[in-house]
Amino acid sequence: MSEHNGYGLSRSEMEYELRWLLRKAPKDAAKLPQFLGEVVITLIEKNNEALARASAEQDRPDLPDSF
């Protein structure tokens, strides 16, 4: 397993979100493709939000440089 670099969601955070989303899995197999698409899109959106937060923190002029 690779080390988390601080950007986006970590693997464990992504797995947690996935488990949370899968709790509402449809019983009807015909609805499964749409459900899986929604799960993937939701995970991507959550990761994009985490990336945006990390980027915003990095761009803050009121914080000292980390190097």
Side-chain angles (χ1 to χ4, degrees), residues 6-44:
Y7 293 98
L9 297 176
S10 68
R11 181 183 178 102
S12 62
E13 290 169 326
M14 191 75 73
E15 289 169 345
Y16 173 83
E17 293 292 339
L18 179 60
R19 283 191 303 272
W20 179 253
L21 293 167
L22 289 178
R23 78 193 192 291
K24 292 185 177 180
K27 304 283 188 239
D28 182 2
K31 295 180 181 179
L32 191 58
Q34 180 180 352
F35 172 75
L36 291 176
E38 291 172 7
V39 166
V40 169
I41 290 168
T42 300
L43 289 174
I44 290 170

